[in-house]
Amino acid sequence: MKTVITDSITEAADFIKAGGVAAFPTETVYGLGANLFDEKAIAKVFEAKGRPADNPLIAHISDPSRIEMLSDEITDTARRFVEAFFPGPLTVVLKKSDKVPLIATAGLDTVAIRMPDFDVALTLIRKCGTPLVAPSANLSGKPSPTNWRAVKEDLEGRIECILKGQTSWFGLESTVVDCSGPRPRLLRQGAVSIEHLREIVPETEFKDASEDDDIRSPGLKYRHYSPKGEVRIIAEGATIEDSEDAAFIGLSQPKAELNRVLVCDSTQTYARSVYEFFRECDRDNILVIYCEAVDETGIGTALMDRIRRAAER
Ligand code: TXA
Ligand code: MG
């Protein structure tokens, strides 16, 4: 398949309207979009990514009022989160309506919904005239793409179109909060932190990573965000040996000679850079990637979550 790489939103929308899939930029990471109501197109999304069929997709909308198309049971907590954080890097999970195809939700009776805070994405969704399913636009198991070149690296020849845009400014996937039950439950960390959520709904629960409940949060059981090299988490100032086969990313200058070093000026920049750094290390066949630990506040919590997952083998 030829992949058209374009900066025309209309062209990308035309591919989606014709039943194809097109990658597009958002503020978190690039997504792989298809019409939520087109089961064949959704099947192509799973196929292109090599994604397991039991991992559900997020429905992307361009206006909060569209939630009513997707759920008949909008809980009060969901309304409060939507009011506070849409558009933005927050995904809410609700009981799904019959209109939402089961292939999109991997057979679950819930649907995840998000409104990106990114003009190109919102315009694309509006031009398509339908909510779009959009998983991160990477091959399953690889780090999420934060720029169109990373999408091309993984998916060229496997999808109809890549809509070019700016680099994603958060660089980590959205926060996912399940609002379908009596108390909201944080399922995936992101730029909207548990503290932010509790400011709106104080009784929001935190799903501990060690908890075994794959059914409520199917995506989390898969290996994610992983470069080929071995990720090692180190404390600030830790001693590491000089190596041609090792790389470092963090906030302070390492004391060793390494193949590749990226010192970031803030935790935000670190979060925005880490996935692309992993990809660069893979291109250079780096064997060990040292990631400096950061304080677990704000985006630091989500960043440490992703680094820990990348370090699991
Ligand atoms: O920032 C993002 O959310 C990006 C951009 C493109 O919007 N998308 C993204 O999608 O990260 P994906 O498919 O890579 O991750 C979706 C996550 C998975 O962990 C999945 O299991 C979870 O959301 N999810 C989706 N539907 C769910 C549901 N009904 N219940 C629980 N978790 C759900
Ligand atoms: Mg993903």
Side-chain angles (χ1 to χ4, degrees):
M1 180 189 302
K2 182 179 164 9
T3 301
V4 173
I5 300 177
T6 180
D7 43 29
S8 160
I9 303 177
T10 305
E11 192 176 14
D14 286 343
F15 279 111
I16 292 175
K17 285 193 275 184
V21 287
F24 63 95
T26 86
E27 80 281 27
T28 57
V29 299
Y30 272 63
L32 186 57
N35 179 347
L36 172 81
F37 299 111
D38 183 339
E39 298 188 27
K40 277 197 194 135
I42 298 176
K44 287 190 202 170
V45 169
F46 280 95
E47 165 94 33
K49 280 183 58 91
R51 182 177 179 104
D54 63 351
N55 194 359
L57 306 178
I58 297 173
H60 290 62
I61 56 174
S62 57
D63 189 293
S65 66
R66 292 297 165 122
I67 297 173
E68 277 151 43
M69 286 174 82
L70 308 175
S71 176
D72 306 320
E73 294 176 50
I74 308 170
T75 53
D76 180 52
T77 54
R79 280 186 209 284
R80 282 147 71 190
F81 287 137
V82 167
E83 168 81 10
F85 300 112
F86 276 33
L90 181 74
T91 297
V92 298
V93 173
L94 287 168
K95 283 270 183 293
K96 82 171 198 67
S97 80
D98 294 341
K99 280 172 251 149
V100 177
L102 282 167
I103 184 174
T105 65
L108 297 178
D109 63 355
T110 54
V111 59
I113 307 167
R114 150 167 145 79
M115 176 178 171
D117 186 14
F118 205 83
D119 284 341
V120 173
L122 294 173
T123 306
L124 176 71
I125 299 165
R126 280 187 201 117
K127 282 192 191 253
C128 291
T130 171
L132 302 181
V133 290
S136 50
N138 51 287
L139 284 173
S140 207
K142 296 251 261 155
S144 295
T146 54
N147 60 71
W148 66 268
R149 286 184 189 81
V151 178
K152 179 170 184 274
E153 180 174 65
D154 275 15
L155 297 178
E156 186 166 39
R158 303 174 71 90
I159 59 176
E160 279 84 1
C161 179
I162 298 171
L163 176 56
K164 289 197 277 185
Q166 289 167 291
T167 298
S168 301
W169 65 70
F170 286 119
L172 299 178
E173 305 82 355
S174 63
T175 304
V176 180
V177 62
D178 185 349
C179 298
S180 66
R183 289 177 77 178
R185 198 132 176 271
L186 178 66
L187 299 181
R188 181 173 74 179
Q189 320 222 37
V192 175
S193 65
I194 183 83
E195 292 83 14
H196 291 136
L197 295 173
R198 284 182 179 155
E199 273 168 33
I200 308 299
V201 182
E203 60 274 23
T204 304
E205 290 174 4
F206 182 75
K207 183 195 174 289
D208 194 85
S210 62
E211 252 177 81
D212 183 28
D213 103 357
D214 291 343
I215 292 137
R216 272 186 93 178
S217 185
L220 299 179
K221 71 180 179 219
Y222 294 106
R223 190 165 145 77
H224 268 86
Y225 326 114
S226 307
K228 284 183 276 180
E230 181 195 340
V231 172
R232 286 192 205 155
I233 303 171
I234 56 168
E236 187 191 335
T239 314
I240 46 181
E241 280 172 29
D242 293 354
S243 169
E244 259 307 291
D245 297 320
F248 170 94
I249 181 168
L251 297 177
S252 60
Q253 185 68 39
K255 290 180 197 77
E257 290 283 330
L258 302 170
N259 184 301
R260 193 175 261 286
V261 170
L262 183 61
V263 179
C264 305
D265 60 10
S266 65
T267 308
Q268 277 85 351
T269 313
Y270 188 172
R272 189 185 301 144
S273 313
V274 68
Y275 286 154
E276 185 58 25
F277 188 77
F278 285 169
R279 285 179 177 267
E280 284 166 6
C281 289
D282 278 358
R283 290 176 205 128
D284 281 358
N285 296 309
I286 297 290
L287 300 180
V288 177
I289 306 170
Y290 294 104
C291 294
E292 189 183 48
V294 298
D295 288 345
E296 298 200 36
T297 55
I299 191 83
T301 316
L303 174 60
M304 287 306 297
D305 169 71
R306 300 308 193 275
I307 293 173
R308 283 196 194 99
R309 287 173 193 280
E312 275 168 24
R313 347 211 87 215

Coordinates of all heavy atoms in Angstrom, one line a residue, residues 26 28-31 49 51 55-58 60 91 93 108 110-112 114 134-136 172-174 176 187-188 216-220, ligand 1:
T26 N -1.7 14.9 17.7 CA -2.5 15.4 18.8 C -1.4 16.0 19.8 O -0.2 15.8 19.6 CB -3.3 14.4 19.6 OG1 -2.6 13.7 20.5 CG2 -4.0 13.4 18.6
T28 N -0.8 14.9 22.8 CA -0.2 13.9 23.6 C 0.8 13.1 22.7 O 2.0 13.2 23.0 CB -1.2 12.9 24.2 OG1 -2.0 12.4 23.1 CG2 -2.1 13.7 25.2
V29 N 0.3 12.3 21.8 CA 1.1 11.6 20.8 C 0.3 11.5 19.5 O -0.8 11.9 19.5 CB 1.4 10.1 21.3 CG1 2.2 10.2 22.6 CG2 0.2 9.3 21.5
Y30 N 1.0 11.0 18.4 CA 0.2 10.9 17.2 C -0.7 9.7 17.3 O -0.4 8.7 17.9 CB 1.2 10.7 16.0 CG 1.7 12.0 15.4 CD1 2.4 12.9 16.1 CD2 1.4 12.3 14.0 CE1 2.8 14.1 15.5 CE2 1.8 13.5 13.4 CZ 2.5 14.4 14.2 OH 2.9 15.5 13.6
G31 N -1.9 9.9 16.7 CA -2.9 8.8 16.7 C -3.1 8.2 15.3 O -2.8 8.8 14.3
K49 N -1.3 -1.9 13.1 CA -0.5 -1.8 14.3 C 0.0 -3.1 14.8 O 0.9 -3.2 15.7 CB -1.3 -1.2 15.5 CG -1.4 0.3 15.5 CD -2.2 0.8 16.7 CE -1.6 0.5 18.0 NZ -0.6 1.4 18.6
R51 N -2.0 -4.9 16.6 CA -2.5 -4.7 18.0 C -3.4 -5.9 18.4 O -4.2 -6.3 17.6 CB -3.3 -3.4 18.1 CG -3.9 -3.1 19.4 CD -4.6 -1.8 19.3 NE -5.3 -1.3 20.5 CZ -4.8 -0.3 21.3 NH1 -3.6 0.2 21.0 NH2 -5.4 0.1 22.3
N55 N -7.5 -5.3 23.1 CA -7.1 -4.0 23.6 C -7.9 -2.9 23.0 O -7.8 -2.6 21.8 CB -5.6 -3.8 23.3 CG -5.0 -2.6 24.1 OD1 -5.7 -2.0 24.9 ND2 -3.7 -2.4 23.9
P56 N -8.8 -2.3 23.8 CA -9.8 -1.4 23.2 C -9.2 0.0 22.8 O -8.1 0.4 23.2 CB -10.8 -1.2 24.4 CG -10.0 -1.4 25.6 CD -9.0 -2.5 25.2
L57 N -9.9 0.7 21.9 CA -9.5 2.0 21.4 C -10.2 3.1 22.0 O -11.3 3.0 22.5 CB -9.8 2.0 19.9 CG -9.2 0.8 19.1 CD1 -9.6 0.9 17.6 CD2 -7.7 0.7 19.2
I58 N -9.6 4.3 21.9 CA -10.2 5.5 22.4 C -11.0 6.2 21.3 O -10.5 6.4 20.2 CB -9.1 6.5 23.0 CG1 -8.4 5.8 24.2 CG2 -9.8 7.8 23.4 CD1 -7.2 6.6 24.7
H60 N -12.2 9.6 19.7 CA -11.8 11.0 19.7 C -13.0 11.8 19.2 O -13.5 11.6 18.1 CB -10.6 11.2 18.9 CG -9.3 10.5 19.6 ND1 -9.2 9.2 19.8 CD2 -8.2 11.1 20.0 CE1 -8.1 9.0 20.4 NE2 -7.4 10.1 20.6
T91 N -8.8 11.1 29.1 CA -9.8 10.2 28.5 C -10.7 9.7 29.6 O -10.2 9.2 30.6 CB -9.0 9.0 27.8 OG1 -8.2 9.5 26.8 CG2 -9.9 8.0 27.3
V93 N -13.8 7.0 30.7 CA -14.4 5.7 30.3 C -15.8 5.7 30.8 O -16.1 6.0 32.0 CB -13.6 4.5 30.8 CG1 -14.3 3.2 30.6 CG2 -12.2 4.5 30.2
L108 N -15.8 -4.9 25.3 CA -16.2 -4.3 26.6 C -17.5 -3.6 26.5 O -17.9 -3.1 25.4 CB -15.1 -3.3 27.1 CG -13.7 -3.9 27.4 CD1 -12.8 -2.8 27.9 CD2 -13.8 -5.0 28.5
T110 N -17.9 -0.8 27.9 CA -17.6 0.6 28.1 C -16.8 1.2 26.9 O -16.3 0.4 26.1 CB -16.6 0.7 29.4 OG1 -15.5 -0.1 29.2 CG2 -17.4 0.4 30.6
V111 N -16.8 2.5 26.9 CA -16.1 3.2 25.8 C -15.2 4.3 26.4 O -15.7 5.0 27.3 CB -17.1 3.7 24.7 CG1 -18.1 4.7 25.3 CG2 -16.3 4.3 23.5
A112 N -14.0 4.4 25.9 CA -13.1 5.5 26.3 C -13.2 6.7 25.3 O -13.3 6.5 24.1 CB -11.7 5.0 26.3
R114 N -12.1 10.9 24.4 CA -11.2 12.0 24.6 C -11.4 13.0 23.5 O -11.7 12.7 22.4 CB -9.8 11.4 24.6 CG -8.7 12.4 24.2 CD -7.4 11.8 24.6 NE -6.3 12.1 23.6 CZ -5.7 13.3 23.5 NH1 -6.0 14.3 24.3 NH2 -4.8 13.5 22.5
A134 N -8.7 6.2 17.7 CA -7.3 6.5 17.4 C -6.4 6.0 18.5 O -6.2 6.7 19.6 CB -7.1 8.0 17.2
P135 N -5.8 4.8 18.3 CA -4.7 4.4 19.2 C -3.5 5.2 18.8 O -3.4 5.8 17.8 CB -4.6 2.9 18.8 CG -5.0 2.8 17.4 CD -6.1 3.9 17.2
S136 N -2.5 5.1 19.6 CA -1.2 5.7 19.3 C -0.7 5.1 18.0 O -0.9 3.9 17.7 CB -0.2 5.5 20.4 OG -0.1 4.2 20.8
L172 N 3.5 12.2 26.1 CA 3.1 11.0 26.7 C 1.6 10.8 26.5 O 0.9 11.8 26.4 CB 3.3 11.0 28.3 CG 4.8 11.2 28.7 CD1 4.8 11.3 30.3 CD2 5.7 10.0 28.2
E173 N 1.1 9.6 26.5 CA -0.4 9.4 26.2 C -1.2 9.9 27.3 O -0.8 10.1 28.4 CB -0.6 7.8 26.1 CG 0.2 7.1 25.1 CD 1.6 6.7 25.6 OE1 2.0 7.1 26.8 OE2 2.3 6.1 24.9
S174 N -2.5 10.2 26.9 CA -3.5 10.8 27.9 C -3.7 10.0 29.1 O -3.5 8.8 29.2 CB -4.8 10.9 27.2 OG -5.4 9.7 26.8
V176 N -6.1 8.1 31.6 CA -7.4 7.4 31.4 C -8.0 7.3 32.8 O -7.4 6.7 33.7 CB -7.2 6.1 30.7 CG1 -8.5 5.4 30.6 CG2 -6.5 6.2 29.4
L187 N -6.9 4.8 35.6 CA -6.4 3.6 35.0 C -5.0 3.8 34.3 O -4.2 2.9 34.3 CB -7.3 3.1 33.9 CG -8.7 2.7 34.3 CD1 -9.5 2.2 33.1 CD2 -8.7 1.7 35.4
R188 N -4.8 5.0 33.7 CA -3.4 5.2 33.1 C -3.1 6.7 33.5 O -3.9 7.6 33.3 CB -3.5 5.1 31.6 CG -2.2 5.3 30.9 CD -2.2 5.0 29.4 NE -2.9 6.0 28.6 CZ -3.1 5.9 27.3 NH1 -2.6 4.9 26.6 NH2 -3.7 6.8 26.7
R216 N -10.4 -4.4 33.7 CA -10.9 -3.0 33.6 C -9.9 -2.2 32.8 O -10.3 -1.1 32.3 CB -11.0 -2.5 35.0 CG -12.4 -2.7 35.6 CD -12.5 -2.0 36.9 NE -13.1 -0.7 36.8 CZ -13.4 0.1 37.8 NH1 -13.1 -0.3 39.0 NH2 -13.9 1.2 37.6
S217 N -8.7 -2.6 32.7 CA -7.7 -1.8 32.0 C -6.8 -2.6 31.1 O -5.6 -2.8 31.3 CB -6.8 -1.1 33.0 OG -6.0 -0.2 32.4
P218 N -7.4 -3.1 30.0 CA -6.8 -4.2 29.2 C -5.4 -3.8 28.6 O -4.5 -4.6 28.5 CB -7.8 -4.5 28.1 CG -9.0 -3.7 28.4 CD -8.7 -2.7 29.4
G219 N -5.3 -2.5 28.2 CA -4.1 -2.1 27.5 C -2.8 -2.2 28.4 O -1.7 -2.4 27.9
L220 N -3.0 -2.1 29.7 CA -1.9 -2.0 30.6 C -1.1 -3.4 30.8 O 0.0 -3.4 31.3 CB -2.3 -1.5 32.0 CG -2.9 -0.1 31.9 CD1 -3.3 0.4 33.3 CD2 -1.9 0.9 31.3
Ligands
TXA1 O1 -3.1 10.2 24.3 C1 -3.8 9.3 23.9 O2 -4.7 8.7 24.5 C2 -3.4 8.7 22.5 C3 -3.8 9.8 21.4 C4 -3.6 9.3 20.0 O3 -5.1 10.3 21.7 N1 -4.1 7.5 22.2 C5 -3.7 6.3 22.9 O4 -4.4 5.2 22.5 O5 -2.8 6.3 23.7 P1 -3.9 3.7 22.8 O6 -4.8 2.9 22.1 O7 -2.5 3.6 22.5 O8 -4.2 3.6 24.4 C6 -5.5 3.5 24.8 C7 -5.6 3.0 26.2 C8 -5.2 1.6 26.4 O9 -4.4 1.4 27.6 C9 -6.6 0.9 26.5 O10 -6.6 -0.3 27.1 C10 -7.3 2.0 27.3 O11 -6.9 3.2 26.7 N2 -8.8 1.8 27.0 C11 -9.4 2.1 25.9 N3 -10.8 1.8 26.0 C12 -10.9 1.4 27.3 C13 -12.1 1.0 28.0 N4 -13.3 0.9 27.5 N5 -11.9 0.6 29.3 C14 -10.6 0.7 29.9 N6 -9.5 1.1 29.2 C15 -9.7 1.4 27.9

